[in-house]
mmCIF file with all atom_site columns, all heavy atoms in Angstrom:
data_model
loop_
_atom_site.group_PDB
_atom_site.id
_atom_site.type_symbol
_atom_site.label_atom_id
_atom_site.label_alt_id
_atom_site.label_comp_id
_atom_site.label_asym_id
_atom_site.label_entity_id
_atom_site.label_seq_id
_atom_site.pdbx_PDB_ins_code
_atom_site.Cartn_x
_atom_site.Cartn_y
_atom_site.Cartn_z
_atom_site.occupancy
_atom_site.B_iso_or_equiv
_atom_site.pdbx_formal_charge
_atom_site.auth_seq_id
_atom_site.auth_comp_id
_atom_site.auth_asym_id
_atom_site.auth_atom_id
_atom_site.pdbx_PDB_model_num
ATOM 1   N N   . LYS A 1 79 ? 4.291   46.466 -14.949 1.00 92.00 ? 621 LYS A N   1
ATOM 2   C CA  . LYS A 1 79 ? 4.281   45.258 -14.322 1.00 92.00 ? 621 LYS A CA  1
ATOM 3   C C   . LYS A 1 79 ? 2.809   44.707 -14.062 1.00 92.00 ? 621 LYS A C   1
ATOM 4   O O   . LYS A 1 79 ? 2.777   43.401 -14.059 1.00 92.00 ? 621 LYS A O   1
ATOM 5   C CB  . LYS A 1 79 ? 4.994   45.430 -12.959 1.00 92.00 ? 621 LYS A CB  1
ATOM 6   C CG  . LYS A 1 79 ? 6.415   45.716 -13.003 1.00 92.00 ? 621 LYS A CG  1
ATOM 7   C CD  . LYS A 1 79 ? 6.988   46.044 -11.731 1.00 92.00 ? 621 LYS A CD  1
ATOM 8   C CE  . LYS A 1 79 ? 8.604   46.352 -11.745 1.00 92.00 ? 621 LYS A CE  1
ATOM 9   N NZ  . LYS A 1 79 ? 9.195   46.590 -10.509 1.00 92.00 ? 621 LYS A NZ  1
ATOM 10  N N   . SER A 1 80 ? 1.951   45.530 -13.815 1.00 94.00 ? 622 SER A N   1
ATOM 11  C CA  . SER A 1 80 ? 0.481   44.853 -13.714 1.00 94.00 ? 622 SER A CA  1
ATOM 12  C C   . SER A 1 80 ? -0.506  45.963 -14.049 1.00 94.00 ? 622 SER A C   1
ATOM 13  O O   . SER A 1 80 ? -0.345  47.067 -13.933 1.00 94.00 ? 622 SER A O   1
ATOM 14  C CB  . SER A 1 80 ? 0.271   44.650 -12.175 1.00 94.00 ? 622 SER A CB  1
ATOM 15  O OG  . SER A 1 80 ? 0.522   45.729 -11.338 1.00 94.00 ? 622 SER A OG  1
ATOM 16  N N   . ILE A 1 81 ? -1.581  45.378 -14.561 1.00 95.00 ? 623 ILE A N   1
ATOM 17  C CA  . ILE A 1 81 ? -2.731  46.135 -15.088 1.00 95.00 ? 623 ILE A CA  1
ATOM 18  C C   . ILE A 1 81 ? -4.000  45.687 -14.291 1.00 95.00 ? 623 ILE A C   1
ATOM 19  O O   . ILE A 1 81 ? -4.312  44.460 -14.153 1.00 95.00 ? 623 ILE A O   1
ATOM 20  C CB  . ILE A 1 81 ? -2.978  46.049 -16.496 1.00 95.00 ? 623 ILE A CB  1
ATOM 21  C CG1 . ILE A 1 81 ? -1.751  46.705 -17.276 1.00 95.00 ? 623 ILE A CG1 1
ATOM 22  C CG2 . ILE A 1 81 ? -4.257  46.765 -16.895 1.00 95.00 ? 623 ILE A CG2 1
ATOM 23  C CD1 . ILE A 1 81 ? -1.922  46.436 -18.853 1.00 95.00 ? 623 ILE A CD1 1
ATOM 24  N N   . VAL A 1 82 ? -4.704  46.639 -13.705 1.00 96.00 ? 624 VAL A N   1
ATOM 25  C CA  . VAL A 1 82 ? -6.095  46.261 -13.227 1.00 96.00 ? 624 VAL A CA  1
ATOM 26  C C   . VAL A 1 82 ? -7.143  46.573 -14.295 1.00 96.00 ? 624 VAL A C   1
ATOM 27  O O   . VAL A 1 82 ? -7.124  47.669 -14.962 1.00 96.00 ? 624 VAL A O   1
ATOM 28  C CB  . VAL A 1 82 ? -6.541  47.101 -11.970 1.00 96.00 ? 624 VAL A CB  1
ATOM 29  C CG1 . VAL A 1 82 ? -7.866  46.975 -11.557 1.00 96.00 ? 624 VAL A CG1 1
ATOM 30  C CG2 . VAL A 1 82 ? -5.549  46.790 -10.823 1.00 96.00 ? 624 VAL A CG2 1
ATOM 31  N N   . TYR A 1 83 ? -7.885  45.552 -14.592 1.00 94.00 ? 625 TYR A N   1
ATOM 32  C CA  . TYR A 1 83 ? -8.959  45.685 -15.705 1.00 94.00 ? 625 TYR A CA  1
ATOM 33  C C   . TYR A 1 83 ? -10.253 45.426 -15.063 1.00 94.00 ? 625 TYR A C   1
ATOM 34  O O   . TYR A 1 83 ? -10.738 44.298 -14.896 1.00 94.00 ? 625 TYR A O   1
ATOM 35  C CB  . TYR A 1 83 ? -8.644  44.785 -16.855 1.00 94.00 ? 625 TYR A CB  1
ATOM 36  C CG  . TYR A 1 83 ? -9.631  44.943 -17.929 1.00 94.00 ? 625 TYR A CG  1
ATOM 37  C CD1 . TYR A 1 83 ? -9.780  46.160 -18.624 1.00 94.00 ? 625 TYR A CD1 1
ATOM 38  C CD2 . TYR A 1 83 ? -10.416 43.857 -18.328 1.00 94.00 ? 625 TYR A CD2 1
ATOM 39  C CE1 . TYR A 1 83 ? -10.726 46.287 -19.782 1.00 94.00 ? 625 TYR A CE1 1
ATOM 40  C CE2 . TYR A 1 83 ? -11.405 44.006 -19.427 1.00 94.00 ? 625 TYR A CE2 1
ATOM 41  C CZ  . TYR A 1 83 ? -11.535 45.237 -20.023 1.00 94.00 ? 625 TYR A CZ  1
ATOM 42  O OH  . TYR A 1 83 ? -12.425 45.244 -21.066 1.00 94.00 ? 625 TYR A OH  1
ATOM 43  N N   . PRO A 1 84 ? -11.104 46.456 -14.754 1.00 92.00 ? 626 PRO A N   1
ATOM 44  C CA  . PRO A 1 84 ? -12.586 46.253 -14.392 1.00 92.00 ? 626 PRO A CA  1
ATOM 45  C C   . PRO A 1 84 ? -13.310 45.806 -15.516 1.00 92.00 ? 626 PRO A C   1
ATOM 46  O O   . PRO A 1 84 ? -13.113 46.353 -16.617 1.00 92.00 ? 626 PRO A O   1
ATOM 47  C CB  . PRO A 1 84 ? -12.846 47.520 -13.785 1.00 92.00 ? 626 PRO A CB  1
ATOM 48  C CG  . PRO A 1 84 ? -11.642 48.404 -13.831 1.00 92.00 ? 626 PRO A CG  1
ATOM 49  C CD  . PRO A 1 84 ? -10.759 47.917 -14.758 1.00 92.00 ? 626 PRO A CD  1
ATOM 50  N N   . THR A 1 85 ? -14.206 44.737 -15.364 1.00 89.00 ? 627 THR A N   1
ATOM 51  C CA  . THR A 1 85 ? -14.997 44.306 -16.550 1.00 89.00 ? 627 THR A CA  1
ATOM 52  C C   . THR A 1 85 ? -16.450 44.051 -16.136 1.00 89.00 ? 627 THR A C   1
ATOM 53  O O   . THR A 1 85 ? -16.831 43.726 -14.903 1.00 89.00 ? 627 THR A O   1
ATOM 54  C CB  . THR A 1 85 ? -14.393 43.080 -17.140 1.00 89.00 ? 627 THR A CB  1
ATOM 55  O OG1 . THR A 1 85 ? -15.211 42.601 -18.174 1.00 89.00 ? 627 THR A OG1 1
ATOM 56  C CG2 . THR A 1 85 ? -14.249 41.977 -16.153 1.00 89.00 ? 627 THR A CG2 1
ATOM 57  N N   . ASP A 1 86 ? -17.283 44.170 -17.120 1.00 86.00 ? 628 ASP A N   1
ATOM 58  C CA  . ASP A 1 86 ? -18.707 43.848 -16.921 1.00 86.00 ? 628 ASP A CA  1
ATOM 59  C C   . ASP A 1 86 ? -18.990 42.432 -17.553 1.00 86.00 ? 628 ASP A C   1
ATOM 60  O O   . ASP A 1 86 ? -20.184 42.120 -17.608 1.00 86.00 ? 628 ASP A O   1
ATOM 61  C CB  . ASP A 1 86 ? -19.618 44.963 -17.583 1.00 86.00 ? 628 ASP A CB  1
ATOM 62  C CG  . ASP A 1 86 ? -19.366 45.120 -18.922 1.00 86.00 ? 628 ASP A CG  1
ATOM 63  O OD1 . ASP A 1 86 ? -18.589 44.454 -19.630 1.00 86.00 ? 628 ASP A OD1 1
ATOM 64  O OD2 . ASP A 1 86 ? -19.991 46.118 -19.581 1.00 86.00 ? 628 ASP A OD2 1
ATOM 65  N N   . LEU A 1 87 ? -17.896 41.860 -18.098 1.00 87.00 ? 629 LEU A N   1
ATOM 66  C CA  . LEU A 1 87 ? -17.809 40.397 -18.597 1.00 87.00 ? 629 LEU A CA  1
ATOM 67  C C   . LEU A 1 87 ? -18.745 40.345 -19.920 1.00 87.00 ? 629 LEU A C   1
ATOM 68  O O   . LEU A 1 87 ? -19.223 39.158 -20.271 1.00 87.00 ? 629 LEU A O   1
ATOM 69  C CB  . LEU A 1 87 ? -18.511 39.520 -17.518 1.00 87.00 ? 629 LEU A CB  1
ATOM 70  C CG  . LEU A 1 87 ? -17.764 39.466 -16.209 1.00 87.00 ? 629 LEU A CG  1
ATOM 71  C CD1 . LEU A 1 87 ? -18.427 38.497 -15.294 1.00 87.00 ? 629 LEU A CD1 1
ATOM 72  C CD2 . LEU A 1 87 ? -16.287 38.936 -16.435 1.00 87.00 ? 629 LEU A CD2 1
ATOM 73  N N   . LYS A 1 88 ? -18.796 41.380 -20.712 1.00 82.00 ? 630 LYS A N   1
ATOM 74  C CA  . LYS A 1 88 ? -19.496 41.255 -21.945 1.00 82.00 ? 630 LYS A CA  1
ATOM 75  C C   . LYS A 1 88 ? -18.518 41.105 -23.080 1.00 82.00 ? 630 LYS A C   1
ATOM 76  O O   . LYS A 1 88 ? -17.318 41.512 -22.926 1.00 82.00 ? 630 LYS A O   1
ATOM 77  C CB  . LYS A 1 88 ? -20.263 42.657 -22.242 1.00 82.00 ? 630 LYS A CB  1
ATOM 78  C CG  . LYS A 1 88 ? -21.382 42.841 -21.278 1.00 82.00 ? 630 LYS A CG  1
ATOM 79  C CD  . LYS A 1 88 ? -22.200 44.093 -21.513 1.00 82.00 ? 630 LYS A CD  1
ATOM 80  C CE  . LYS A 1 88 ? -23.318 44.286 -20.576 1.00 82.00 ? 630 LYS A CE  1
ATOM 81  N NZ  . LYS A 1 88 ? -24.129 45.507 -20.787 1.00 82.00 ? 630 LYS A NZ  1
ATOM 82  N N   . GLU A 1 89 ? -18.869 40.444 -24.167 1.00 80.00 ? 631 GLU A N   1
ATOM 83  C CA  . GLU A 1 89 ? -17.958 40.010 -25.198 1.00 80.00 ? 631 GLU A CA  1
ATOM 84  C C   . GLU A 1 89 ? -17.446 41.077 -26.161 1.00 80.00 ? 631 GLU A C   1
ATOM 85  O O   . GLU A 1 89 ? -16.550 40.929 -26.821 1.00 80.00 ? 631 GLU A O   1
ATOM 86  C CB  . GLU A 1 89 ? -18.563 38.866 -25.931 1.00 80.00 ? 631 GLU A CB  1
ATOM 87  C CG  . GLU A 1 89 ? -18.822 37.584 -25.185 1.00 80.00 ? 631 GLU A CG  1
ATOM 88  C CD  . GLU A 1 89 ? -19.141 36.416 -26.122 1.00 80.00 ? 631 GLU A CD  1
ATOM 89  O OE1 . GLU A 1 89 ? -19.079 36.596 -27.302 1.00 80.00 ? 631 GLU A OE1 1
ATOM 90  O OE2 . GLU A 1 89 ? -19.401 35.317 -25.588 1.00 80.00 ? 631 GLU A OE2 1
ATOM 91  N N   . GLU A 1 90 ? -18.240 42.304 -26.006 1.00 80.00 ? 632 GLU A N   1
ATOM 92  C CA  . GLU A 1 90 ? -17.779 43.358 -26.931 1.00 80.00 ? 632 GLU A CA  1
ATOM 93  C C   . GLU A 1 90 ? -16.330 44.010 -26.524 1.00 80.00 ? 632 GLU A C   1
ATOM 94  O O   . GLU A 1 90 ? -15.765 44.817 -27.192 1.00 80.00 ? 632 GLU A O   1
ATOM 95  C CB  . GLU A 1 90 ? -18.800 44.446 -26.843 1.00 80.00 ? 632 GLU A CB  1
ATOM 96  C CG  . GLU A 1 90 ? -18.918 45.147 -25.428 1.00 80.00 ? 632 GLU A CG  1
ATOM 97  C CD  . GLU A 1 90 ? -20.046 46.065 -25.269 1.00 80.00 ? 632 GLU A CD  1
ATOM 98  O OE1 . GLU A 1 90 ? -20.806 46.356 -26.273 1.00 80.00 ? 632 GLU A OE1 1
ATOM 99  O OE2 . GLU A 1 90 ? -20.241 46.653 -24.225 1.00 80.00 ? 632 GLU A OE2 1
ATOM 100 N N   . GLN A 1 91 ? -15.809 43.530 -25.500 1.00 84.00 ? 633 GLN A N   1
ATOM 101 C CA  . GLN A 1 91 ? -14.482 44.044 -25.020 1.00 84.00 ? 633 GLN A CA  1
ATOM 102 C C   . GLN A 1 91 ? -13.274 43.320 -25.700 1.00 84.00 ? 633 GLN A C   1
ATOM 103 O O   . GLN A 1 91 ? -12.108 43.570 -25.400 1.00 84.00 ? 633 GLN A O   1
ATOM 104 C CB  . GLN A 1 91 ? -14.418 43.793 -23.450 1.00 84.00 ? 633 GLN A CB  1
ATOM 105 C CG  . GLN A 1 91 ? -15.390 44.513 -22.683 1.00 84.00 ? 633 GLN A CG  1
ATOM 106 C CD  . GLN A 1 91 ? -15.529 44.049 -21.302 1.00 84.00 ? 633 GLN A CD  1
ATOM 107 O OE1 . GLN A 1 91 ? -14.660 43.974 -20.567 1.00 84.00 ? 633 GLN A OE1 1
ATOM 108 N NE2 . GLN A 1 91 ? -16.792 43.714 -20.860 1.00 84.00 ? 633 GLN A NE2 1
ATOM 109 N N   . GLU A 1 92 ? -13.590 42.533 -26.756 1.00 87.00 ? 634 GLU A N   1
ATOM 110 C CA  . GLU A 1 92 ? -12.461 41.834 -27.403 1.00 87.00 ? 634 GLU A CA  1
ATOM 111 C C   . GLU A 1 92 ? -11.297 42.763 -27.961 1.00 87.00 ? 634 GLU A C   1
ATOM 112 O O   . GLU A 1 92 ? -10.183 42.490 -27.756 1.00 87.00 ? 634 GLU A O   1
ATOM 113 C CB  . GLU A 1 92 ? -13.056 41.083 -28.589 1.00 87.00 ? 634 GLU A CB  1
ATOM 114 C CG  . GLU A 1 92 ? -12.072 40.211 -29.331 1.00 87.00 ? 634 GLU A CG  1
ATOM 115 C CD  . GLU A 1 92 ? -12.608 39.484 -30.507 1.00 87.00 ? 634 GLU A CD  1
ATOM 116 O OE1 . GLU A 1 92 ? -13.794 39.491 -30.725 1.00 87.00 ? 634 GLU A OE1 1
ATOM 117 O OE2 . GLU A 1 92 ? -11.827 38.743 -31.096 1.00 87.00 ? 634 GLU A OE2 1
ATOM 118 N N   . THR A 1 93 ? -11.710 43.980 -28.454 1.00 85.00 ? 635 THR A N   1
ATOM 119 C CA  . THR A 1 93 ? -10.660 44.892 -28.936 1.00 85.00 ? 635 THR A CA  1
ATOM 120 C C   . THR A 1 93 ? -9.656  45.311 -27.974 1.00 85.00 ? 635 THR A C   1
ATOM 121 O O   . THR A 1 93 ? -8.474  45.316 -28.130 1.00 85.00 ? 635 THR A O   1
ATOM 122 C CB  . THR A 1 93 ? -11.331 46.062 -29.604 1.00 85.00 ? 635 THR A CB  1
ATOM 123 O OG1 . THR A 1 93 ? -12.162 46.845 -28.767 1.00 85.00 ? 635 THR A OG1 1
ATOM 124 C CG2 . THR A 1 93 ? -12.102 45.620 -30.910 1.00 85.00 ? 635 THR A CG2 1
#
Side-chain angles (χ1 to χ4, degrees):
K621 295 180 178 180
S622 63
I623 295 175
V624 171
Y625 181 64
T627 177
D628 56 11
L629 302 177
K630 293 182 179 178
E631 292 191 8
E632 64 186 0
Q633 297 163 56
E634 182 175 5
T635 55

